[in-house]
Amino acid sequence: WVVDKLVHEALALWRFPVEGFERWAEARACNCGLTDACQLTDAMRKSSELLQRFRMHDLYHEMQSAERRLHEVPYSMERDGAVENGIIDALYLHTGQWTLVEFKTDHIGNQTDLQAHLRRTDYLAQSQRHATAVKHWLDHRLRVLLCLLDYYGAVQVQEISGAQPDQLEQFG
């Protein structure tokens, strides 16, 4: 969970592994409660690896060139008579198209693992809830992306629109 937190914080700041990143990541990991030198080193290495991998992906370049880019966007909306609060990882406008991105740091080893993982988690439902919240703000069509930062040791991005776990057979 510390790696996930470091990666999400770095993405929110649009901060990537360059000079000074290690000191920042170590301080953030210590704030999360890590004190063991091996655990600190591992958390910094893994978060740096995921961020560097993302920086090589086309999605990074599209987000980098976006007209607007928002990170960790909070929202509240009424749902079934209750107030739901959430945080959207990223929302950006590129060439007139708004895109919502959900970043995931889980290690996914193969397609079977992905299907099982999507059934165990609420990632698709979470993305749909976030999309519903954003659609209340925007009059534009919204593209929703699930970005796995550790899928077969690479970054894979899938556009999702009402998809069920078993419908993501050609993920990537």
Side-chain angles (χ1 to χ4, degrees):
W1 70 269
V2 174
V3 170
D4 183 70
K5 186 161 181 59
L6 290 174
V7 168
H8 276 82
E9 285 185 26
L11 288 168
L13 297 169
W14 210 239
R15 181 176 197 149
F16 295 92
V18 292
E19 188 176 329
F21 180 81
E22 268 191 28
R23 284 191 308 275
W24 175 85
E26 182 177 16
R28 297 306 304 137
C30 287
N31 280 353
C32 291
L34 287 187
T35 56
D36 179 77
C38 289
Q39 289 179 334
L40 281 168
T41 300
D42 188 54
M44 291 184 308
R45 180 194 56 77
K46 185 64 175 175
S47 59
S48 179
E49 179 183 306
L50 295 175
L51 290 163
Q52 289 288 46
R53 187 180 293 162
F54 175 65
R55 240 177 134 186
M56 302 300 289
H57 195 273
D58 289 343
L59 180 58
Y60 164 82
H61 297 289
E62 184 173 292
M63 291 179 72
Q64 177 69 14
S65 65
E67 293 101 60
R68 286 195 71 192
R69 188 178 63 239
L70 308 167
H71 296 274
E72 299 296 313
V73 180
Y75 74 88
S76 294
M77 69 178 183
E78 186 178 339
R79 183 180 171 91
D80 300 325
V83 175
E84 176 182 303
N85 298 302
I87 305 269
I88 297 164
D89 289 343
L91 184 63
Y92 69 94
L93 177 65
H94 183 264
T95 61
Q97 169 74 60
W98 280 100
T99 301
L100 182 154
V101 182
E102 289 296 324
F103 291 102
K104 302 301 177 191
T105 61
D106 316 70
H107 172 73
I108 306 295
N110 57 45
Q111 183 64 32
T112 304
D113 287 351
L114 173 64
Q115 300 306 320
H117 196 71
L118 290 175
R119 285 186 188 92
R120 274 193 317 273
T121 65
D122 74 336
Y123 292 167
L124 296 177
Q126 175 191 49
S127 297
Q128 295 303 328
R129 287 191 308 271
H130 291 182
T132 299
V134 170
K135 287 175 185 173
H136 287 293
W137 308 330
L138 301 175
D139 282 337
H140 299 0
R141 187 177 153 273
L142 179 67
R143 182 173 68 147
V144 181
L145 303 178
L146 182 63
C147 178
L148 297 179
L149 297 171
D150 195 6
Y151 180 74
Y152 289 86
V155 172
Q156 291 296 325
V157 177
Q158 177 68 42
E159 185 168 348
I160 53 175
S161 297
Q164 298 301 314
D166 57 350
Q167 293 173 316
L168 295 180
E169 293 174 10
Q170 299 302 318
F171 196 81

